[in-house]
């Protein structure tokens, strides 16, 4: 699989990574097979979060790495932290203490001494950048985290953090895919008055390219906010017809074409897939082998119900 540099770091990551959110509900053997399938298909990047399965996903993932005999220095591990959940409460907490605790808990669950990347999980409206900076400095100097990033944050959130944080923020994890194209819609409909022209992210796509931040796309095959998978979904006949035509043309699967659509964008995004199925992992990673034409890309975009002026 082709690799990219994450942001301005020296981390060489597979263009497709495996998110382990669903791993917490799998047996150790199923998790091991998912990891082996990912590695066998060229994935060297794995991603978790401290809230996935209330920590269980990371624990199962750690055992899967051990059972699959995956050498720690052969892969990159990223985790997210900042969201706090409990009985009857939920908050986002970017305090120094919570950031450090989130990392240390994940290290223990996964069974590793360090994270290659730690990501702040969604914005904390009560954020104090100086506290984030203190936490990042401690984690970097102690060798527990190599690089840092953010998730679901707009450009001004990031600029606010950078008033105090010294380390480069190398990634921003955002929902993006054929059926979640807001970042592109408003760019295409600039200076228009229709709904697609509404700017919801402060020009985040262009900002990320200018700042050399890697966009990591989550839920690439979902429609809406965890609304379901659009591939082979009868509610999206036109889209699936185009995906099917291109899958036949490129001798691959519809899922691979959906992934290739994201990878075709020149922002050099990284696709985070979440399937635990060996076959689905293989299908989606084959998207790395497909280079869609410009017309292919626009055909898919239009088949998803989007318009061009």
């Amino acid at each position: 699989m082709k690799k990219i540099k994450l942001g301005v770091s020296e981390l060489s990551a597979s263009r497709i990574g495996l998110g382990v959110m669903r791993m917490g509900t799998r047996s150790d053997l199923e998790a091991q097979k998912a990891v082996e399938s990912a590695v066998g298909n060229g994935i060297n990047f794995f991603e978790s979060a401290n809230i996935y399965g209330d920590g269980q996903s990371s624990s199962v993932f750690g055992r899967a790495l051990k059972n699959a005999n995956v050498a720690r220095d052969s892969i990159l591990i990223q985790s997210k932290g900042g969201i706090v959940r409990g009985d009857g409460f939920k908050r986002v907490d970017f305090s120094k203490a919570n950031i450090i605790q989130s990392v240390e808990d994940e290290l223990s669950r996964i069974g590793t001494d360090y994270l290659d990347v730690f990501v702040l999980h969604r914005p904390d409206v009560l954020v104090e950048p100086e506290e984030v900076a203190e936490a990042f400095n401690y984690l970097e100097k102690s060798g527990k985290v190599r690089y840092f990033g953010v998730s679901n944050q707009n450009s001004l959130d990031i600029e606010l953090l950078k008033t105090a944080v010294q380390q480069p923020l190398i990634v921003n994890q955002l929902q993006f895919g054929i059926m979640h194209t807001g970042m592109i819609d408003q760019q295409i409909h600039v200076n228009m008055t229709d709904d697609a022209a509404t700017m919801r992210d402060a020009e985040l796509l262009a900002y990320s390219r200018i700042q050399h931040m890697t966009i990591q796309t989550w839920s690439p095959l979902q429609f809406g906010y965890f609304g379901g998978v659009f591939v082979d979904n009868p509610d999206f006949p036109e889209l699936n017809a185009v995906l099917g035509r291109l899958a036949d043309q490129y001798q691959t699967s519809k899922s691979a074409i959906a992934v290739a659509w994201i990878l075709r964008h020149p922002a050099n995004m990284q696709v985070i897939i979440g399937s635990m199925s060996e076959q689905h992992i293989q299908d989606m990673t084959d998207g790395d082998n497909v280079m869609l034409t410009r017309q292919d890309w626009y055909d898919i975009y239009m088949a998803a119900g989007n318009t061009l002026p």
Side-chain angles (χ1 to χ4, degrees), residues 25-283:
T25 61
R26 300 305 195 270
S27 69
D28 282 5
L29 180 58
E30 289 172 326
Q32 177 185 339
K33 288 182 177 179
V35 167
E36 290 172 340
S37 178
V39 173
N41 283 285
I43 289 176
N44 76 337
F45 184 93
F46 295 86
E47 199 265 350
S48 190
N50 66 330
I51 63 166
Y52 289 166
D54 292 328
Q56 182 69 9
S57 295
S58 296
S59 298
V60 175
F61 169 58
R63 294 197 297 272
L65 289 177
K66 182 178 179 180
N67 294 337
N69 293 315
V70 176
R72 177 63 181 90
D73 60 3
S74 69
I75 61 170
L76 303 174
I77 299 177
Q78 172 177 296
S79 189
K80 301 189 294 286
I83 296 177
V84 181
R85 291 175 176 168
D87 292 334
F89 68 86
K90 177 181 178 181
R91 69 179 185 275
V92 182
D93 186 344
F94 288 174
S95 65
K96 177 182 178 181
N98 189 58
I99 291 173
I100 292 173
Q101 190 64 55
S102 296
V103 170
E104 292 179 342
D105 288 347
E106 281 292 88
L107 294 178
S108 177
R109 294 183 188 111
I110 297 171
T112 184
D113 295 328
Y114 66 96
L115 297 175
D116 294 286
V117 189
F118 174 73
V119 167
L120 296 173
H121 201 171
R122 295 196 173 275
D124 176 10
V125 296
L126 302 181
V127 64
E128 297 175 80
E130 294 77 14
E131 278 212 54
V132 176
E134 289 179 12
F136 283 9
N137 289 340
Y138 166 78
L139 292 168
E140 181 181 50
K141 290 177 181 177
S142 63
K144 295 178 179 180
V145 177
R146 297 174 65 189
Y147 292 98
F148 300 87
V150 297
S151 174
N152 304 294
Q153 298 200 28
N154 68 34
S155 56
L156 293 181
D157 292 326
I158 296 166
E159 286 298 308
L160 177 60
L161 287 172
K162 287 165 64 175
T163 62
V165 171
Q166 300 173 7
Q167 295 82 1
L169 300 173
I170 66 170
V171 300
N172 192 1
Q173 194 170 111
L174 301 160
Q175 186 176 9
F176 181 75
I178 294 170
M179 293 299 298
H180 195 98
T181 56
M183 290 189 294
I184 288 173
D185 299 341
Q186 63 89 19
Q187 181 182 25
I188 290 174
H189 291 255
V190 66
N191 201 36
M192 298 178 68
T193 59
D194 56 353
D195 289 343
T198 303
M199 186 184 300
R200 296 180 172 88
D201 56 26
E203 296 283 10
L204 191 51
L205 181 55
Y207 173 85
S208 299
R209 297 179 71 179
I210 292 167
Q211 297 297 321
H212 304 289
M213 291 182 72
T214 297
I215 292 176
Q216 297 176 324
T217 69
W218 57 269
S219 291
L221 303 189
Q222 293 274 325
F223 63 90
Y225 184 70
F226 294 107
V229 175
F230 57 77
V231 173
D232 290 328
N233 188 322
D235 290 337
F236 306 101
E238 185 177 353
L239 174 58
N240 276 281
V242 173
L243 292 176
R245 171 175 62 80
L246 292 172
D248 290 342
Q249 178 181 327
Y250 289 96
Q251 298 184 320
T252 189
S253 68
K254 292 180 183 178
S255 295
I257 297 297
V259 169
W261 186 84
I262 298 172
L263 295 176
R264 179 62 179 81
H265 195 283
N268 216 20
M269 302 180 195
Q270 184 187 37
V271 179
I272 305 299
I273 64 175
S275 178
M276 296 292 101
S277 161
E278 296 174 74
Q279 185 61 55
H280 290 166
I281 291 171
Q282 182 177 335
D283 287 345

